[in-house]
Amino acid sequence: MARAHVLGVPRIGPNRELKFAQEACWRGEIDEAALKAVASGIRQANWRQQHAAGLDFVTVGDFAFYDQMLNHVALLGCVPERFGFGERIALSEYFQLARGNAACHAMEMTKWFDTNYHYLVPEFKPDTHFALDPGGLFDEVTEAQTAGFAAKPVLIGPLTFLWLGKEKAAGFNRLDLLDRLLPVYAQILARLKAQGVEWVQIDEPALALDLPAEWRSAFERAYHALNGAGVKLLLASYFGPLRENLLVALKLPVAGVHVDCVRGGDELAQVIDWLPATKVLSVGVIDGRNIWKTDLNAVVDRFEGLHARLADRLWVAPSCSLLHVPASLAGETAMDAELGNWLAFADDKIAALSTLKTAFNQGRQAAAAELSANARALASRGASSRVHNTAVAARLAALTSIHDVRNSPFAVRQSVQRERFKLPDFPTTTIGSFPQTPEIRHVRARFKAGALGEADYTTAMQNEIGHAIEKQEALGLDVLVHGEAERNDMVEYFGEQLSGFAFSQNGWVQSYGSRCVKPPIIYGDVSRPRPMTVAWARHAQSLTVKPVKGMLTGPVTMLQWSFVRDDQPRATTALQIALAIRDEVADLETAGIGIIQIDEPAYREGLPLRKADWAAYLEWASRAFRISASGVSDATQIHTHMCYSEFNDILPAIAAMDADVITIETSRSDMELLRGFGEFSYPNEIGPGVYDIHSPRIPDVEDMTRLLEKAAQVIAPDRLWVNPDCGLKTRGWAETETALANMVAAAHTMRQSLQSAIR
């Protein structure tokens, strides 16, 4: 009998209950007991759903108040010593690790593999030690068992945990900590065994990466050490094929292996050939990262023979955790019915697993109605006339090499732009957005609901733009922004105005902590029917003599932060978006906007996990950006922004984007990320972030000056800009003004130092 399970589910609640409770707790409006009650309610609802669908286990340990890697930092007792918290931490201290406090900046945050989810990066030193936290995970197991559910706890495996961390001291390899870490993992497994747990899912997605030989060989040593704990281990890898790591995974002394058959399906024949006769094989056949319905009939066709061979050793599952998709379509009352019938959110994917389990165990006829409905939905999508646009296809076919290069090399453009803008040394700017106050959100909500007319809405937003311009001029910033009061989200705002995009009402997914995003759905060919930002930018520029940046989201980020159609190559969709953005850039230039920022924070995120696959991606991603940016004169300055990613290994491709100015996140790494740009001799101008906007901590002038001094040691001062790490929409005005005033003061300090050095 085939079994069915999930690797994890969304943890924010169907209506973002966790987000609102977290933020209320941070504001002091509810206490920790109330927050924990909300969390318990979400967990219980998730477990009931899995149980009702006939899954063989409920997954426990996939919940986090902020992040699953941060959970493991707490579970394993390896909190960074700089916080001074000790081995066991309270919930308030847990949040300080993620958000910082008056004395310490927050732990570094970066992307979880190639997703838009962010995790907190563990910090390792030669003297890092580990100690088991007896609460947390074990309490949740008890909670599930008390409610009558068969619990399958999930852990991040020891090798992946170490791999995803960073050494915070020179001269040692974090892999050297493995022998110190394994006894704590053994304690965890032993304690779970004592609680009556049969299976533990242990996630090692690092197996989908290019691993050094010493890391690959460490897997055997690690899992032999854990083999005696008495619980059955399901080793789970996902996000891609295992390639040279496949045999490593299959030979480990574990009771079962989960493989991603969506992204790594070509390896299935090898998996079957090499799978030991006693091991469970969990096949990830439902896409855990996208929202299109799976062809269930094709899954049954593909795996029914294998089920006949393996029987109860075959488990069916999503490819990865469902953390990356929205919770439910149930509330999507306004969605187009045809489109909605093509989609599957987390609850639909769990129901699909139930259908597959029935089809395998009781025969196709037992699931005939569900399989037939699934086939009709797929046929509807394939035959729909709304998906393809011949004009878009013709424009794409007409692209040549002249469409992705600027008129002149950077040195020529730089000279022209400096003459035009006459900016001081260390010019100051921000990344784009300013605080989204409750008043702004209220006006926007009323307009969207039809309770406010367009003229009144426009007036209200123009007033907010005026307020932002006034504040920036008072602060003394050199290059201004309009503040983006009219924008709900940097991708959704543009997607709402482009053909080929659709939107959910409540399709939220977690990006990090309490930050949730509602990705657009790209279902068809993309084009721009009309200008999207020109009127707002023109109004902002009319209020000041200083340059105001036009603010756009780049094609790769639009692609990465959307649920993308799966019926054509992603590169094709990216180029369609690039042409739409190119039209907007041209219209902004015509309207007199001399500096245009095309944000690409997801550029690194889109990089394939294996280096052998990088070149093809970087070629089309870089070209897509250049197509969006290259239709302007030398005098128009193109900026881009990237954040919370490692850039040093793709610097040639970033340089190939040929933006005049790039701004990057560097404050959490204490300018560490900038060093690679210096070693590479990055040719264009760069603005390393000196202010971490994701933390409530406001750095002082000395902090920012110190970071700028470090930056000036690796990048020529005449090519350095001064800016925050990211946009300021989530901050309040009081803290924003204080921080930006400090930033401007730090820039003045640097200018004075530079002038003194010249004299």
Side-chain angles (χ1 to χ4, degrees):
M1 300 286 283
R3 288 183 163 188
H5 71 118
V6 292
L7 277 65
V9 295
R11 57 193 178 219
I12 58 175
N15 295 297
R16 293 181 290 163
E17 291 88 348
L18 182 63
K19 167 190 172 65
F20 298 123
Q22 282 172 322
E23 293 175 352
C25 185
W26 295 341
R27 292 190 298 265
E29 297 168 1
I30 64 172
D31 60 17
E32 287 187 5
L35 173 58
K36 290 178 179 178
V38 171
S40 178
I42 292 170
R43 290 193 296 268
Q44 294 278 349
N46 287 341
W47 296 333
R48 287 194 298 270
Q49 181 187 41
Q50 293 169 53
H51 182 73
L55 303 193
D56 292 273
F57 309 97
V58 300
T59 301
V60 179
D62 55 339
F63 178 84
F65 279 104
Y66 203 97
D67 165 55
Q68 70 267 15
M69 284 291 284
L70 183 59
N71 276 16
H72 280 65
V73 168
L75 174 66
L76 300 167
C78 55
V79 171
E81 63 180 7
R82 60 189 173 88
F83 284 88
F85 289 158
E87 294 173 353
R88 299 178 187 175
I89 58 172
L91 184 58
S92 60
E93 293 170 329
Y94 171 98
F95 285 132
Q96 289 177 56
L97 298 177
R99 306 177 71 228
N101 58 32
C104 286
H105 60 81
M107 292 174 64
E108 186 177 345
M109 184 167 64
T110 194
K111 296 294 177 69
W112 177 251
F113 293 83
D114 58 348
T115 75
N116 187 32
Y117 177 79
H118 303 65
Y119 74 92
L120 277 297
V121 180
E123 300 176 12
F124 299 125
K125 294 183 176 181
D127 59 353
T128 295
H129 68 281
F130 304 94
L132 180 63
D133 179 351
L137 173 67
F138 309 105
D139 293 341
E140 290 181 19
V141 170
T142 299
E143 181 184 4
Q145 292 172 331
T146 301
F149 302 121
K152 180 199 60 170
V154 57
L155 295 169
I156 295 170
L159 274 304
T160 293
F161 181 73
L162 289 175
W163 178 265
L164 294 178
K166 279 189 175 181
E167 293 101 348
K168 291 296 180 179
F172 94 105
N173 182 347
R174 61 190 182 279
L175 183 58
D176 294 341
L177 299 173
L178 180 62
D179 289 335
R180 207 178 300 168
L181 176 61
L182 289 175
V184 182
Y185 268 86
Q187 291 176 47
I188 294 169
L189 297 177
R191 181 160 181 147
L192 292 172
K193 171 69 174 177
Q195 288 184 278
V197 167
E198 179 186 11
W199 281 91
V200 174
Q201 174 187 317
I202 190 158
D203 288 1
E204 292 283 12
L207 285 165
L209 305 176
D210 297 316
L211 295 175
E214 61 176 344
W215 284 81
R216 293 180 64 217
S217 63
F219 275 89
E220 184 176 1
R221 174 162 57 94
Y223 282 86
H224 274 289
L226 300 180
N227 188 34
V231 291
K232 297 176 182 177
L233 296 182
L234 179 72
L235 181 85
S237 185
Y238 39 82
F239 295 154
L242 301 186
R243 297 180 184 171
E244 73 283 356
N245 299 326
L246 178 59
L247 191 55
V248 172
L250 293 176
K251 288 174 61 179
L252 292 178
V254 294
V257 177
H258 171 86
V259 294
D260 183 341
C261 291
V262 175
R263 288 191 160 199
D266 292 344
E267 292 183 338
L268 183 61
Q270 287 176 283
V271 172
I272 295 169
D273 286 345
W274 295 346
L275 184 74
T278 58
K279 285 187 180 177
V280 161
L281 176 61
S282 171
V283 289
V285 295
I286 304 286
D287 192 343
R289 294 182 51 166
N290 213 332
I291 43 71
W292 306 104
K293 282 184 174 173
T294 298
D295 187 338
L296 300 183
N297 289 279
V299 172
V300 176
D301 289 343
R302 186 180 186 189
F303 289 97
E304 61 184 349
L306 183 61
H307 175 240
R309 287 173 52 189
L310 299 184
D312 61 354
R313 291 196 295 122
L314 180 68
W315 296 11
V316 291
S319 58
C320 62
S321 171
L322 299 178
L323 169 71
H324 309 288
V325 297
S328 177
L329 274 165
E332 301 299 330
T333 56
M335 182 175 287
D336 173 86
E338 182 184 32
L339 175 63
N341 193 39
W342 303 343
L343 306 181
F345 288 1
D347 55 358
D348 303 289
K349 293 177 185 291
I350 291 172
L353 290 174
S354 179
T355 298
L356 290 173
K357 180 181 175 182
T358 299
F360 285 129
N361 293 338
Q362 301 176 38
R364 287 176 184 262
Q365 282 304 115
E370 292 84 356
L371 293 174
S372 178
N374 176 259
R376 289 194 301 272
L378 295 174
S380 166
R381 182 183 173 202
S384 177
S385 60
R386 65 198 294 185
V387 172
H388 301 289
N389 183 322
T390 55
V392 173
R395 190 176 181 196
L396 211 61
L399 282 174
T400 69
S401 60
I402 67 170
H403 294 100
D404 64 6
V405 293
R406 296 288 296 270
N407 295 329
S408 303
F410 170 70
V412 174
R413 303 196 310 265
Q414 183 184 50
S415 177
V416 173
Q417 292 161 15
R418 287 184 173 180
E419 177 62 27
R420 177 180 183 181
F421 299 116
K422 296 181 171 58
L423 297 173
D425 295 322
F426 299 99
T428 55
T429 189
T430 62
I431 302 305
S433 60
F434 273 103
Q436 292 264 319
T437 63
E439 293 76 16
I440 290 174
R441 296 179 188 277
H442 178 67
V443 168
R444 218 171 44 225
R446 290 187 63 213
F447 175 62
K448 193 169 186 177
L452 187 68
E454 184 170 358
D456 289 337
Y457 172 74
T458 299
T459 298
M461 292 298 103
Q462 286 180 341
N463 289 340
E464 294 293 344
I465 290 170
H467 176 71
I469 295 293
E470 180 182 335
K471 290 287 188 184
Q472 291 171 85
E473 289 200 314
L475 286 163
L477 290 163
D478 301 307
V479 174
L480 314 187
V481 296
H482 80 290
E484 304 180 16
E486 80 287 359
R487 302 186 188 183
N488 44 11
D489 174 83
M490 66 181 293
V491 174
E492 183 175 0
Y493 173 78
F494 292 98
E496 286 176 336
Q497 302 180 75
L498 294 171
S499 298
F501 279 75
F503 295 86
S504 63
Q505 293 169 269
N506 202 36
W508 298 98
V509 293
Q510 185 182 28
S511 180
Y512 62 86
S514 69
R515 169 69 170 158
C516 300
V517 294
K518 187 156 59 71
I521 300 164
I522 305 178
Y523 68 87
D525 289 338
V526 177
S527 61
R528 186 197 72 145
R530 64 191 65 85
M532 302 179 286
T533 66
V534 174
W536 302 116
R538 182 188 291 118
H539 176 73
Q541 188 62 80
S542 73
L543 302 176
T544 180
V545 297
K546 291 185 174 182
V548 176
K549 289 192 286 189
M551 299 300 305
L552 305 173
T553 301
V556 176
T557 297
M558 292 284 289
L559 185 85
Q560 284 296 127
W561 291 358
S562 299
F563 291 122
V564 184
R565 57 191 291 191
D566 58 359
D567 60 341
Q568 71 179 13
R570 292 172 68 86
T572 301
T573 305
L575 292 177
Q576 291 177 354
I577 301 170
L579 286 171
I581 300 299
R582 181 185 179 93
D583 293 342
E584 188 72 11
V585 169
D587 284 347
L588 283 168
E589 182 183 54
T590 300
I593 305 302
I595 301 179
I596 302 170
Q597 182 168 307
I598 308 172
D599 287 339
E600 285 289 22
Y603 188 85
R604 176 63 171 79
E605 172 189 314
L607 196 67
L609 297 179
R610 298 294 194 136
K611 287 189 177 181
D613 304 325
W614 285 11
Y617 164 77
L618 291 171
E619 190 282 327
W620 66 253
S622 179
R623 184 173 184 237
F625 180 86
R626 293 195 307 273
I627 286 171
S628 71
S630 295
V632 294
S633 72
D634 291 348
T636 296
Q637 189 174 77
I638 298 294
H639 289 221
T640 192
H641 172 67
M642 298 182 179
C643 59
Y644 298 104
S645 292
E646 298 285 353
F647 306 116
N648 293 350
D649 49 5
I650 59 167
L651 286 172
I654 293 177
M657 294 167 67
D658 200 25
D660 297 303
V661 182
I662 181 174
T663 53
I664 60 172
E665 176 274 324
T666 52
S667 68
R668 284 201 177 198
S669 66
D670 205 41
M671 287 291 164
E672 177 185 327
L673 288 176
L674 187 62
R675 186 163 302 280
F677 283 82
E679 294 171 353
F680 173 71
S681 297
Y682 183 77
N684 300 7
E685 297 183 9
I686 187 165
V690 297
Y691 159 34
D692 176 13
I693 67 88
H694 293 96
S695 170
R697 176 178 179 268
I698 299 174
D700 57 27
V701 176
E702 290 73 21
D703 284 339
M704 296 190 191
T705 302
R706 181 184 61 82
L707 289 176
L708 285 170
E709 288 171 345
K710 291 187 69 172
Q713 292 173 11
V714 295
I715 302 291
D718 65 346
R719 291 192 291 117
L720 279 173
W721 287 62
V722 181
N723 45 263
D725 276 345
C726 203
L728 296 159
K729 65 184 293 184
T730 62
R731 310 316 317 174
W733 267 111
E735 61 181 312
T736 293
E737 288 187 77
T738 301
L740 291 181
N742 291 347
M743 188 185 82
V744 170
H748 280 288
T749 298
M750 294 299 294
R751 290 170 194 164
Q752 291 167 2
S753 297
L754 183 62
Q755 290 302 314
S756 297
I758 293 173
R759 288 196 295 268

